[in-house]
mmCIF file of all heavy atoms in Angstrom:
data_model
loop_
_atom_site.group_PDB
_atom_site.id
_atom_site.type_symbol
_atom_site.label_atom_id
_atom_site.label_comp_id
_atom_site.label_asym_id
_atom_site.label_seq_id
_atom_site.Cartn_x
_atom_site.Cartn_y
_atom_site.Cartn_z
ATOM 1 N N HIS A 104 32.106 21.952 -4.087
ATOM 2 C CA HIS A 104 31.585 21.290 -2.926
ATOM 3 C C HIS A 104 30.556 20.133 -3.317
ATOM 4 O O HIS A 104 29.771 20.357 -4.215
ATOM 5 C CB HIS A 104 30.794 22.327 -2.036
ATOM 6 C CG HIS A 104 29.973 21.709 -0.902
ATOM 7 N ND1 HIS A 104 30.431 20.825 -0.019
ATOM 8 C CD2 HIS A 104 28.584 21.784 -0.710
ATOM 9 C CE1 HIS A 104 29.488 20.546 0.797
ATOM 10 N NE2 HIS A 104 28.324 20.965 0.405
ATOM 11 N N TRP A 105 30.660 19.022 -2.632
ATOM 12 C CA TRP A 105 29.941 17.881 -2.951
ATOM 13 C C TRP A 105 28.662 17.846 -1.904
ATOM 14 O O TRP A 105 28.816 17.334 -0.811
ATOM 15 C CB TRP A 105 30.713 16.544 -2.860
ATOM 16 C CG TRP A 105 32.155 16.861 -3.434
ATOM 17 C CD1 TRP A 105 33.237 16.990 -2.735
ATOM 18 C CD2 TRP A 105 32.398 16.933 -4.838
ATOM 19 N NE1 TRP A 105 34.253 17.158 -3.513
ATOM 20 C CE2 TRP A 105 33.763 17.174 -4.747
ATOM 21 C CE3 TRP A 105 31.729 16.866 -5.968
ATOM 22 C CZ2 TRP A 105 34.518 17.374 -6.080
ATOM 23 C CZ3 TRP A 105 32.440 17.006 -7.198
ATOM 24 C CH2 TRP A 105 33.839 17.288 -7.175
ATOM 25 N N HIS A 106 27.669 18.494 -2.362
ATOM 26 C CA HIS A 106 26.497 18.695 -1.397
ATOM 27 C C HIS A 106 25.794 17.402 -1.058
ATOM 28 O O HIS A 106 25.178 16.748 -1.960
ATOM 29 C CB HIS A 106 25.567 19.682 -2.007
ATOM 30 C CG HIS A 106 24.359 19.954 -1.267
ATOM 31 N ND1 HIS A 106 23.911 21.293 -0.949
ATOM 32 C CD2 HIS A 106 23.410 19.163 -0.561
ATOM 33 C CE1 HIS A 106 22.784 21.296 -0.252
ATOM 34 N NE2 HIS A 106 22.522 20.000 -0.043
ATOM 35 N N GLY A 107 25.804 17.025 0.152
ATOM 36 C CA GLY A 107 25.192 15.731 0.665
ATOM 37 C C GLY A 107 26.139 14.592 0.738
ATOM 38 O O GLY A 107 25.727 13.518 1.273
ATOM 39 N N LEU A 108 27.280 14.679 0.236
ATOM 40 C CA LEU A 108 28.189 13.564 0.343
ATOM 41 C C LEU A 108 28.882 13.552 1.729
ATOM 42 O O LEU A 108 29.356 14.573 2.280
ATOM 43 C CB LEU A 108 29.341 13.784 -0.799
ATOM 44 C CG LEU A 108 30.057 12.514 -1.231
ATOM 45 C CD1 LEU A 108 29.117 11.486 -1.808
ATOM 46 C CD2 LEU A 108 30.961 12.912 -2.378
ATOM 47 N N ASP A 115 35.606 18.044 1.180
ATOM 48 C CA ASP A 115 34.384 18.570 1.078
ATOM 49 C C ASP A 115 34.202 19.740 0.115
ATOM 50 O O ASP A 115 33.057 19.961 -0.451
ATOM 51 C CB ASP A 115 34.045 19.064 2.516
ATOM 52 C CG ASP A 115 32.552 19.401 2.634
ATOM 53 O OD1 ASP A 115 31.626 18.621 2.263
ATOM 54 O OD2 ASP A 115 32.256 20.518 3.184
ATOM 55 N N TRP A 142 24.252 16.759 -5.184
ATOM 56 C CA TRP A 142 24.647 17.696 -6.264
ATOM 57 C C TRP A 142 26.001 18.307 -5.926
ATOM 58 O O TRP A 142 26.437 18.159 -4.801
ATOM 59 C CB TRP A 142 23.622 18.711 -6.611
ATOM 60 C CG TRP A 142 23.131 19.624 -5.592
ATOM 61 C CD1 TRP A 142 22.611 19.425 -4.324
ATOM 62 C CD2 TRP A 142 23.026 21.116 -5.619
ATOM 63 N NE1 TRP A 142 22.127 20.470 -3.626
ATOM 64 C CE2 TRP A 142 22.381 21.606 -4.512
ATOM 65 C CE3 TRP A 142 23.312 22.035 -6.583
ATOM 66 C CZ2 TRP A 142 22.188 22.925 -4.237
ATOM 67 C CZ3 TRP A 142 23.105 23.372 -6.436
ATOM 68 C CH2 TRP A 142 22.485 23.793 -5.218
ATOM 69 N N HIS A 144 28.405 22.031 -6.362
ATOM 70 C CA HIS A 144 28.435 23.514 -6.785
ATOM 71 C C HIS A 144 29.510 24.226 -6.042
ATOM 72 O O HIS A 144 30.051 23.730 -5.052
ATOM 73 C CB HIS A 144 26.967 24.127 -6.260
ATOM 74 C CG HIS A 144 26.661 24.077 -4.916
ATOM 75 N ND1 HIS A 144 27.266 25.013 -3.886
ATOM 76 C CD2 HIS A 144 25.888 23.307 -4.151
ATOM 77 C CE1 HIS A 144 26.842 24.706 -2.807
ATOM 78 N NE2 HIS A 144 25.941 23.675 -2.835
ATOM 79 N N HIS A 146 31.440 26.945 -3.588
ATOM 80 C CA HIS A 146 31.123 27.377 -2.173
ATOM 81 C C HIS A 146 32.054 28.453 -1.798
ATOM 82 O O HIS A 146 32.610 28.501 -0.580
ATOM 83 C CB HIS A 146 31.282 26.219 -1.242
ATOM 84 C CG HIS A 146 30.375 26.139 -0.209
ATOM 85 N ND1 HIS A 146 30.132 27.055 0.861
ATOM 86 C CD2 HIS A 146 29.393 25.148 0.094
ATOM 87 C CE1 HIS A 146 29.190 26.648 1.658
ATOM 88 N NE2 HIS A 146 28.686 25.595 1.214
ATOM 89 N N ARG A 283 16.477 17.940 -2.637
ATOM 90 C CA ARG A 283 16.073 17.055 -3.708
ATOM 91 C C ARG A 283 14.987 16.129 -3.318
ATOM 92 O O ARG A 283 14.983 15.724 -2.144
ATOM 93 C CB ARG A 283 17.389 16.156 -4.149
ATOM 94 C CG ARG A 283 18.508 16.942 -4.817
ATOM 95 C CD ARG A 283 19.448 17.541 -3.853
ATOM 96 N NE ARG A 283 20.142 16.500 -2.949
ATOM 97 C CZ ARG A 283 20.477 16.686 -1.761
ATOM 98 N NH1 ARG A 283 20.327 17.824 -1.164
ATOM 99 N NH2 ARG A 283 21.169 15.800 -0.978
ATOM 100 N N HIS A 447 21.319 23.958 5.856
ATOM 101 C CA HIS A 447 22.084 22.772 5.342
ATOM 102 C C HIS A 447 23.300 22.594 6.195
ATOM 103 O O HIS A 447 23.983 23.582 6.697
ATOM 104 C CB HIS A 447 22.433 23.146 3.844
ATOM 105 C CG HIS A 447 23.457 22.130 3.360
ATOM 106 N ND1 HIS A 447 23.198 20.765 3.220
ATOM 107 C CD2 HIS A 447 24.613 22.311 2.750
ATOM 108 C CE1 HIS A 447 24.304 20.145 2.692
ATOM 109 N NE2 HIS A 447 25.170 21.103 2.309
ATOM 110 N N ILE A 448 23.671 21.310 6.381
ATOM 111 C CA ILE A 448 24.811 20.977 7.166
ATOM 112 C C ILE A 448 25.742 20.039 6.305
ATOM 113 O O ILE A 448 25.257 19.082 5.769
ATOM 114 C CB ILE A 448 24.402 20.255 8.554
ATOM 115 C CG1 ILE A 448 23.519 21.203 9.203
ATOM 116 C CG2 ILE A 448 25.664 20.062 9.343
ATOM 117 C CD1 ILE A 448 22.871 20.493 10.501
ATOM 118 N N HIS A 449 27.046 20.221 6.418
ATOM 119 C CA HIS A 449 27.985 19.460 5.673
ATOM 120 C C HIS A 449 28.410 18.239 6.477
ATOM 121 O O HIS A 449 28.316 18.124 7.585
ATOM 122 C CB HIS A 449 29.270 20.301 5.398
ATOM 123 C CG HIS A 449 29.076 21.359 4.365
ATOM 124 N ND1 HIS A 449 30.055 21.893 3.615
ATOM 125 C CD2 HIS A 449 27.981 22.161 4.133
ATOM 126 C CE1 HIS A 449 29.585 22.871 2.787
ATOM 127 N NE2 HIS A 449 28.346 23.026 3.093
ATOM 128 N N GLY A 450 28.970 17.347 5.721
ATOM 129 C CA GLY A 450 29.500 16.122 6.424
ATOM 130 C C GLY A 450 28.585 15.092 6.905
ATOM 131 O O GLY A 450 29.081 14.225 7.683
ATOM 132 N N CYS A 451 27.325 15.196 6.554
ATOM 133 C CA CYS A 451 26.344 14.299 7.196
ATOM 134 C C CYS A 451 25.027 14.109 6.353
ATOM 135 O O CYS A 451 24.869 14.781 5.412
ATOM 136 C CB CYS A 451 25.888 14.864 8.571
ATOM 137 S SG CYS A 451 25.005 16.461 8.405
ATOM 138 N N ASP A 472 19.668 16.512 4.226
ATOM 139 C CA ASP A 472 20.795 17.468 4.444
ATOM 140 C C ASP A 472 20.371 18.874 4.485
ATOM 141 O O ASP A 472 21.251 19.762 4.766
ATOM 142 C CB ASP A 472 22.067 17.197 3.607
ATOM 143 C CG ASP A 472 21.701 17.290 2.151
ATOM 144 O OD1 ASP A 472 21.088 18.342 1.692
ATOM 145 O OD2 ASP A 472 22.031 16.293 1.348
ATOM 146 N N VAL A 473 19.079 19.093 4.277
ATOM 147 C CA VAL A 473 18.523 20.432 4.321
ATOM 148 C C VAL A 473 17.267 20.471 5.273
ATOM 149 O O VAL A 473 16.444 19.551 5.040
ATOM 150 C CB VAL A 473 18.014 21.062 2.938
ATOM 151 C CG1 VAL A 473 17.443 22.299 3.099
ATOM 152 C CG2 VAL A 473 19.302 21.089 2.019
ATOM 153 N N MET A 499 30.746 23.333 7.082
ATOM 154 C CA MET A 499 29.884 24.480 7.181
ATOM 155 C C MET A 499 28.469 24.067 7.547
ATOM 156 O O MET A 499 28.095 22.926 7.244
ATOM 157 C CB MET A 499 29.847 25.172 5.784
ATOM 158 C CG MET A 499 31.077 25.526 5.229
ATOM 159 S SD MET A 499 31.929 26.914 6.119
ATOM 160 C CE MET A 499 33.536 26.375 6.079
ATOM 161 N N HIS A 501 24.806 26.266 7.230
ATOM 162 C CA HIS A 501 24.367 27.524 6.755
ATOM 163 C C HIS A 501 22.981 27.518 6.119
ATOM 164 O O HIS A 501 22.462 26.452 5.815
ATOM 165 C CB HIS A 501 25.310 28.035 5.681
ATOM 166 C CG HIS A 501 25.456 27.144 4.423
ATOM 167 N ND1 HIS A 501 24.692 27.249 3.357
ATOM 168 C CD2 HIS A 501 26.311 26.136 4.237
ATOM 169 C CE1 HIS A 501 25.002 26.300 2.458
ATOM 170 N NE2 HIS A 501 26.002 25.667 2.966
ATOM 171 N N HIS A 503 20.714 27.789 3.086
ATOM 172 C CA HIS A 503 21.055 27.550 1.570
ATOM 173 C C HIS A 503 20.447 28.544 0.721
ATOM 174 O O HIS A 503 20.655 28.529 -0.566
ATOM 175 C CB HIS A 503 20.719 26.139 1.261
ATOM 176 C CG HIS A 503 21.686 25.528 0.201
ATOM 177 N ND1 HIS A 503 21.771 25.895 -1.092
ATOM 178 C CD2 HIS A 503 22.617 24.644 0.394
ATOM 179 C CE1 HIS A 503 22.747 25.220 -1.696
ATOM 180 N NE2 HIS A 503 23.292 24.399 -0.804
HETATM 181 CU CU1 LIG B 2 26.677 20.983 1.391
#
Side-chain angles (χ1 to χ4, degrees):
H104 167 60
W105 321 104
H106 178 131
L108 205 54
D115 191 49
W142 62 304
H144 61 77
H146 218 299
R283 288 86 62 211
H447 167 59
I448 305 170
H449 291 208
C451 64
D472 55 51
V473 177
M499 304 291 137
H501 60 90
H503 218 288

